[in-house]
Amino acid sequence: MLLRAALTAFRRGGTLTAQPVSDCLAVSLEHLAAYNSVCGFGLRDALPLTYPHVLGFPLQMKLMTGDGFPFPLPGLVHLANRITQSRPLTLDEPLEITVSARDLRPHAQGTQVDVVTSVSGVWEGVSTYLHRTGGSPGSGEQPQRPSASAVWRVPADVGRRYGAVSGDRNPIHLHPLSAKAFGFPRAIAHGMWTKARCLAALEGRLPGAVSAEVRFRKPLLVPGRAEFSAREVPDGWKFAVWGKRPHLLGTVSAA
C-alpha cells in the first residue's frame, strides 16, 4: 500500500473520474478492542463513532491510489472530517462499506476534494483533502483559546499504535527520523486519532443519531502535551485540542 501511495507522486492533477469501491465485512472483536484501547473508548456493543472510518481505510487507499484519483498522496493534507450517523452500528452486524470521491473544488492554496465513506446506509464519513499548488493560507478568524477541561500527555508511540489498528502507516506518524524527511521536527499524531480521543472523552453523553465535525489545524507533535476542552452548547458540544496553537476544532450535534 505504501509503495502504491509513493508511486502516485508522479501525478500532476486533472479530472476526478475515480469509481466507487465497495466491500462487506464483519467486525473483529480483537481489532475493536485494540482500537478502543489506543483511542480511549470503552468496549461496548455500539461501535465508536469514528471506528467505521478505519474499517473503510483500505478502500479509501484503494480508491486514492487507483486510476481516476487526480492527486499524489504524498503531501496531501487532511483538512477536515465530518461523521454523521442515524443510529449506532453494532459489533455483531455485517457492514456494507462504499468509498467514493466527489466535489473537486478550488481552495486558496490549491484544490480540495471529499473522500466519502458510507456504511450500511446509516453512517457516513466525509474527509476533505487539500492538494497544495501554491498560494498562502487565509488569515480567517482566529479562535479564542478555551479553558482546558483536561491535559493530555500524548506518548511518542501513539502514531505507531494507531497506525497498527487503522492501517494508516504514513511515515510522518511513525518515527522522528521518517517525519523529519517530510519536514516535521518529529512525528505527529494522526488527525483521526485526535478526533477519536476527543469523542472518547465525551462517551456516554452523545445521542445515537449524531453528527461530529472537526477541522484540523496545526499538527500535534509527539511526544507532547495538549489541552482538551469541551463545553455543552444548546445544540450539542463544542470541543478543541490546543498546544501553543489549536490542533483541532470541533462540534457535535444531534443528526
Side-chain angles (χ1 to χ4, degrees), residues 100-112:
S100 59
R102 68 189 186 200
D103 201 10
L104 203 65
R105 59 199 187 276
H107 182 278
Q109 294 177 273
T111 306
Q112 56 189 335

Side-chain angles (χ1 to χ4, degrees), residues 147-152 197-199 201-202 205 226-230 239-242:
S147 299
S149 306
V151 176
W152 296 346
R197 184 66 185 84
C198 290
L199 295 180
L202 297 173
R205 290 178 280 181
E227 294 181 358
F228 168 72
S229 67
F239 59 93
V241 178
W242 280 72

Side-chain angles (χ1 to χ4, degrees), residues 144-192:
Q144 185 175 2
R145 188 187 192 100
S147 299
S149 306
V151 176
W152 296 346
R153 301 290 180 180
V154 185
D157 67 347
V158 72
R160 294 189 289 275
R161 292 175 61 212
Y162 184 80
V165 298
S166 69
D168 185 355
R169 293 183 173 88
N170 188 322
I172 63 177
H173 302 302
L174 303 182
H175 193 276
L177 293 179
S178 57
K180 285 179 180 179
F182 290 88
F184 296 96
R186 56 184 191 270
I188 65 174
H190 293 74
M192 288 304 296

Side-chain angles (χ1 to χ4, degrees), residues 210-222:
V210 67
S211 179
E213 184 168 1
V214 300
R215 294 200 67 83
F216 302 113
R217 303 293 287 263
K218 294 294 181 180
L220 173 54
L221 299 173
V222 296

Side-chain angles (χ1 to χ4, degrees), residues 17-100:
T17 59
Q19 296 300 304
V21 291
S22 300
D23 197 5
C24 184
L25 53 83
V27 175
S28 159
L29 183 58
E30 181 181 3
H31 183 261
L32 176 61
Y35 176 85
N36 288 352
S37 176
V38 72
C39 296
F41 291 103
L43 186 59
R44 56 187 66 190
D45 287 339
L47 301 181
L49 185 59
T50 48
Y51 183 64
H53 176 85
V54 303
L55 295 180
F57 184 75
L59 289 178
Q60 296 162 21
M61 289 297 294
K62 181 178 180 179
L63 181 141
M64 296 169 76
T65 58
D67 294 337
F69 192 81
F71 304 132
L73 269 64
L76 204 62
V77 180
H78 197 179
L79 291 180
N81 175 267
R82 182 180 72 253
I83 294 173
T84 304
Q85 70 176 19
S86 58
R87 65 164 176 83
L89 295 164
T90 59
L91 61 87
D92 60 349
E93 63 181 298
L95 303 178
E96 298 178 1
I97 303 176
T98 299
V99 175
S100 59

